Amino acid sequence: MVVPLRDDARAFCSGVSEKLCELDEHEWDALVSDENFYNSYRWLRALEHALGETDVLTVRGPAGLVAACTLWNGGQSPGLFYLPSFVADIPGPWQQKFLWLGGRRNTHNGVSCIEGRRRFEAQAELGRCASDYARDRGYAGFVMPYMPYSAALKFADAIGGTVILHSAEASLEVPETGLSGVMARWRKHARVQSKSEIATFRRLGSRVEWAAAVELDDSLAADLITQNRSRYGGVSDHEWMQKILAGQRTAGVSHFVNAAISKRNDDITALTIFYSFGTALHARYFGANYNLDLNDFRYFVLSFYEPLDYAAANGFTKLRLSTSALRAKVKRGAKIEPQALVAKCVDGQPICQHSANQHNLRTLRQYQDEFAGHLCRDWELVESNPNLTS
Amino acid sequence: MNTASSDQFNEYASIYEDMSQWPFRKYIEIPSVFQEIGDVDGLSILDFGCGTGMYARWLKQRGAGQVVGYDLTEGMLNYARRRAEKEDLDISFVSHLGPELIGQFDLVLGVYVLPYATTRPELQAMCADMVRLMRPGGRLLTLPIHPVYDPHPNYYEPYGFRLIAEDPENPYADGERVKLELCKNGEQGGVFAWYWSATSLERALEQAGLRSLKWRELSASAYPDANQAPKELHAYLQRPHSIIIEGVRG
């Protein structure tokens, strides 16, 4: 339906862009759907303030930006961002350097791209641009990790990439009645357990307050978050976390912050930082003072129970709960969504689609075994939409 | 507007927002619309075909109560939602008109939406959709293609666009397809629109239940006399490409 102007006038062109800060914030965000917070302009700018600038790939049409993404190098040691650990059973040059598309350390990615009929074409051009960038700089290929499975299928189709299931994310639909509405769907045992956790939290003198970023002390928040990360094997220190939060303030991400804080008397004992975006609340950081010997279920109160009521009262329809501690989240009503990376090698060496399909099916079975009854419908796509065997 | 017609806007969000700063809109269309709307304090308003939400944001900032933006184009809605979030404006942007919205609005604003009805039944349905949203006594303001726009293809080029009738011999034929090309900064793409005569527009609006229809010419309201407006606006003011129709739900 778009006016058939000359082909060269309608064609997309792509390249390594000027810096992110030189791109128009609103033009970028016009490509960002409600589900793609971690590729929104301010989040990416916050990462730049904290961790330094990165290159940006852009695709433009005659009327402006139609697709874009930031680039980074992934993690270099085992962890959430270490490619070899995602694909150990698939032959490929995984020990070589791969280019990563999307925001740094994102555990939820989507392609920032126009919607509609020309989305496929715009994504294809972004893929060509990523291939050229990777080839020119000696990368073996590129990946976009932590994509919702359905989005990964479409991106892979557009760029001739391979979909590799590698992770899962928990989320909760928020009914208008909040926590009570969610509990009404549970079995009695689960309801009793959650009510008991909430009662314990209160009996031990804890209460919850919600705070905007302006009311938060970044140093204290960084301390609590770092304590929690250290407890579970994280290596980033207090200074690193404070730098991240400072970057968010500079970039204006703090505008989206909603923090659930647990207090005893006037002492902050824990917090969960959420970001509101579109119709979802995105849980990103939990922190706690583990010097206090408190067994008051503050993680669950701050990250599940209270946010359900808060979300319902403020018109949010989804809680996004990230990729960790899935068992605990499922026990409290969360659904598990499949996440995949899209990979493409640039040296002409194809990724074995058969191996990728077998890997995906094995991963599917693992999640089916572990989380039966808690998987969202997108998991059905793993069986019904395999990679095309080359 | 059907899905195919709305899809053509997906990659034009930024340029449409930018257009609010183009002189013909900034000094003529937008002030004319606000003058016609008048005081919005506390009004519930639905911006039908809201695009990037420019009018919706301005109405909210000017004191409107509930503001809802409706558009079928996801690319436009992404822009509208992201921008309103950042500006802390409590506006709901939707792509579906649910039953909870029926009969709720004091004012429905439909800027450049009727030209995207591709057939007469679609024009009728679009008018019915807009009127259904209004409470009895509520007002509709809508901006179609002016029934006597200047059909010379380059007439509006100094204003950043061209309107090109598919059949230049018969530009005022009902349902005639018109090409809108954007050319302020080179060739920036374009979309198809459809021309509807004054008779067809009035009939569709009246059949939808609108009464007391009034036609208002766009003007440069900042200037007491059109001749005092900047010279570069004169040609547009003589033959504006759009016009305001106002009506009340009976």
Side-chain angles (χ1 to χ4, degrees), chain B residues 4-29:
Chain B
S5 189
S6 67
D7 185 65
Q8 60 182 339
F9 294 98
N10 266 310
E11 59 192 274
Y12 293 120
S14 289
I15 197 170
Y16 265 69
E17 181 70 20
D18 188 45
M19 282 171 74
S20 67
Q21 296 303 309
W22 294 7
F24 87 90
R25 296 197 77 192
K26 185 174 181 180
Y27 299 114
I28 299 173
E29 174 209 305

Side-chain angles (χ1 to χ4, degrees), chain A residues 154-172:
Chain A
K154 289 172 187 159
F155 187 45
D157 188 27
I159 68 167
T162 302
V163 178
I164 299 171
L165 186 60
H166 73 95
S167 179
E169 180 182 35
S171 69
L172 257 172

Side-chain angles (χ1 to χ4, degrees), chain A residues 301-314:
Chain A
V301 172
L302 294 182
S303 304
F304 291 87
Y305 305 137
E306 282 288 333
L308 279 167
D309 282 338
Y310 181 85
N314 289 279

